[in-house]
Amino acid sequence: MNQQASPSLSLSNPHPKGVNWQQKAALALFGIGLLILLFAWLGGQVWNPFQALLLALGLISGSAWWYARAEYGGKPAGIKNNAVMFRSLSNRGLWGWIAGVMISGFYICLYWYPETMKGLIEMFEAPSRALRGQAADQWFVYGSFYTLAVLLMGAKFIWKYRHNRYQVIRTVSVMFFQLIFSFLIPAFMQLMHQPEFYFTYFWPLKSEYLFPDKISYLTQKYTHLGVFLVFWGAVMSFIAVPVLTYFFGKRWYCSWVCGCGALAETAGDPFRTLSDKSLRAWRIERWLIHSVLVFIVLTTLLAWLNSWQQGAILGDLSQGFSKTYGFLIGSIFSGVIGTGFYPILGSRGWCRFGCPQAAILGIFQKYFSRFRITVNGGQCISCGNCSTYCEMGIDVKAYAQRGQDVVRASCVGCGICSAVCPRGVLRLENGADDVRERAQDARAFHIGEDGVKLNDH
Ligand code: SF4
Ligand code: SF4
């Protein structure tokens, strides 16, 4: 080793570069694609909105592929998180903050100032007419970008984890559900003059699906189909959720089906290390997510009470709850903060701290599920990779060091802790062991302020 040229004594010297020249060129093309969109957004006259859209999306998609190829192509399979702690974007540097502000700004325009997006919406006129049979609006633009991000970043994710069957299959699954169930089927239903309906979202995440006014609207306007849709939503909420979670844990939904999870697992992958692992964050998480669940249960109950026994006070209360929930939780928490703050809070901020669906799935997972991460504690070398890359902020290492199975309400079963473990310590299983016994184990796992104390009572 040339000591003068490379004074570091690190075994990994020379350090891998943050980005090579091909990635810089890809990023430049990506920037040009974004600039075209921004130009149209700001009201610039593009020669032909649809052709400009194709050019912009072509540049963005092609450059994303080129970037991933430069990162993973021609190299042996195996997870490479090179420089993730040093890149400005993935480590809360200047680019991370710029990205956070831009994505949050996009959400703010989307929810409250869609008129400012006129030029951008116009670019989507032709695909919207073809897919939905109606004029484009901000939600179609949003759905298109969202789906494209899941597909592009999902392909990049698969390339990165190509040696790991579990990661490949579940990523194909979230890409499939996002494209078909959350984008094409709702669009097709509109094309057929049917209600826009999302089969992969149900109460309480899509809370209005069990609200009395939505049920009356669906069943009265769309009769048989409307009854089926209401029935589907109720079956998924009250039967499929407990049954599937009993067998597979919450991962069947959070890491295989849900659109929020789809974006977090694909576009959010570089930000998974940013999740707060502190005890304080764990406490906030438990209070916050269960408060949101209580909030939506109350809102739903009030809506039903109001529909049975109409009165001025009950009506005002129900409307107030409904509006506050929509504004605070539906828009600000799940949208602006949940996605906009990926580069600041990590990719699962909404899933961890706010999603009421995750709260219900978590309760089932912790107390009535076969799912757990089993630990071969004797092999653990305490490297901490598992905790570092856990997007839900779970200190997996603390469990591994004690040889204790991980049974946590928040675990979404992404399997990354197991994938990054150099010793094969962790294994995701749907065992048939005594569920009650494991629930007792989960309750007995406590970490004190002063460090780790497990099974202390
Ligand atoms: S504990 Fe492992 S499987 Fe669970 S959320 Fe964290 S990284 Fe994913
Ligand atoms: S990644 Fe594996 S070896 Fe490292 S601390 Fe976690 S369980 Fe132990």
Side-chain angles (χ1 to χ4, degrees):
M1 184 173 67
N2 181 343
Q3 197 69 13
Q4 228 173 0
S6 213
S8 167
L9 295 179
S10 163
L11 287 176
S12 63
N13 233 2
H15 300 298
K17 285 189 175 153
V19 278
N20 58 36
W21 73 266
Q22 289 200 46
Q23 286 169 311
K24 283 180 188 160
L27 284 174
L29 291 180
F30 188 85
I32 294 171
L34 279 187
L35 275 178
I36 295 174
L37 294 175
L38 196 62
F39 180 71
W41 184 338
L42 296 177
Q45 293 294 315
V46 280
W47 66 98
N48 175 320
F50 183 54
Q51 286 176 5
L53 177 69
L54 285 184
L55 178 65
L57 296 188
L59 280 168
I60 287 171
S61 310
S63 58
W65 176 81
W66 191 13
Y67 186 96
R69 187 174 176 276
E71 183 96 352
Y72 312 120
K75 295 180 186 149
I79 300 168
K80 289 164 195 66
N81 280 314
N82 294 346
V84 73
M85 304 291 187
F86 301 107
R87 283 180 185 156
S88 171
L89 181 64
S90 55
N91 198 28
R92 297 195 189 104
L94 181 63
W95 282 110
W97 280 94
I98 290 175
V101 168
M102 281 179 66
I103 306 169
S104 307
F106 175 72
Y107 271 93
I108 289 169
C109 292
L110 191 73
Y111 285 125
W112 298 292
Y113 305 102
E115 64 282 357
T116 61
M117 300 171 69
K118 223 167 130 231
L120 191 64
I121 293 170
E122 211 176 290
M123 295 177 101
F124 285 81
E125 190 62 22
S128 177
R129 293 259 173 222
L131 287 172
R132 313 190 302 165
Q134 53 186 270
D137 56 16
Q138 81 267 35
W139 301 115
F140 183 74
V141 173
Y142 174 57
S144 306
F145 281 140
Y146 197 103
T147 305
L148 186 70
V150 169
L151 296 181
L152 285 178
M153 297 307 282
K156 177 177 178 284
F157 186 94
I158 289 174
W159 209 338
K160 176 175 175 182
Y161 295 90
R162 61 188 181 276
H163 59 292
N164 188 316
R165 206 165 131 251
Y166 180 72
Q167 297 303 334
V168 172
I169 295 174
R170 81 175 176 83
T171 307
V172 170
S173 169
V174 288
M175 289 161 77
F176 169 80
F177 279 108
Q178 177 58 37
L179 177 65
I180 307 296
F181 281 82
S182 299
F183 187 64
L184 292 180
I185 290 181
F188 182 71
M189 288 182 76
Q190 287 175 291
L191 188 67
M192 297 287 110
H193 306 289
Q194 300 301 326
E196 184 185 19
F197 193 85
Y198 295 86
F199 287 90
T200 49
Y201 293 101
F202 12 88
W203 186 93
L205 184 53
K206 198 78 177 160
S207 51
E208 70 265 30
Y209 282 1
L210 282 190
F211 275 29
D213 49 352
K214 182 77 175 180
I215 291 179
S216 326
Y217 166 76
L218 285 173
T219 49
Q220 281 166 20
K221 184 158 183 204
Y222 298 99
T223 56
H224 295 312
L225 177 66
V227 171
F228 169 73
L229 297 179
V230 172
F231 177 74
W232 170 268
V235 166
M236 290 310 290
S237 292
F238 300 119
I239 299 178
V241 163
V243 171
L244 291 175
T245 310
Y246 172 77
F247 285 108
F248 306 110
K250 73 198 277 189
R251 62 175 161 163
W252 76 268
Y253 187 69
C254 299
S255 289
W256 288 69
V257 172
C258 176
C260 309
L263 195 70
E265 293 297 331
T266 53
D269 182 57
F271 309 111
R272 61 174 62 246
T273 54
L274 301 177
S275 61
D276 190 338
K277 317 293 193 283
S278 69
L279 285 171
R280 195 172 55 106
W282 188 7
R283 279 200 199 99
I284 295 172
E285 167 195 316
R286 284 180 296 174
W287 274 101
L288 209 48
I289 197 167
H290 294 118
S291 303
V292 173
L293 179 60
V294 170
F295 192 176
I296 191 57
V297 169
L298 281 179
T299 307
T300 312
L301 283 176
L302 278 171
W304 277 100
L305 278 177
N306 184 44
S307 79
W308 288 326
Q309 193 150 23
Q310 297 206 341
I313 299 176
L314 205 53
D316 287 349
L317 207 59
S318 170
Q319 270 213 341
F321 263 69
S322 204
K323 278 193 178 154
T324 312
Y325 185 86
F327 176 72
L328 281 182
I329 311 298
S331 306
I332 297 204
F333 203 162
S334 79
V336 180
I337 298 176
T339 311
F341 284 32
Y342 268 24
I344 310 301
L345 296 178
S347 52
R348 286 275 194 175
W350 161 247
C351 313
R352 181 181 176 192
F353 295 99
C355 176
Q357 188 75 68
I360 290 185
L361 290 160
I363 292 168
F364 282 116
Q365 170 157 287
K366 187 162 170 182
Y367 298 110
F368 312 103
S369 170
R370 294 173 162 203
F371 171 73
R372 81 278 204 195
I373 301 174
T374 54
V375 168
N376 178 5
Q379 289 295 315
C380 178
I381 53 170
S382 301
C383 68
N385 268 357
C386 49
S387 300
T388 302
Y389 290 97
C390 176
E391 59 193 346
M392 299 304 283
I394 299 172
D395 188 3
V396 186
K397 185 179 80 174
Y399 290 81
Q401 287 171 327
R402 298 294 298 246
Q404 178 153 8
D405 290 359
V406 183
V407 181
R408 279 280 288 270
S410 58
C411 172
V412 289
C414 65
I416 296 294
C417 54
S418 166
V420 295
C421 175
R423 303 281 293 168
V425 172
L426 306 159
R427 199 179 154 89
L428 279 70
E429 293 191 46
N430 306 313
D433 290 353
D434 187 339
V435 172
R436 198 176 304 167
E437 197 178 292
R438 292 194 312 102
Q440 278 166 3
D441 269 6
R443 274 195 294 272
F445 187 100
H446 285 278
I447 299 182
E449 298 286 359
D450 52 340
V452 181
K453 283 192 271 164
L454 302 178
N455 291 335
D456 53 356
H457 59 273

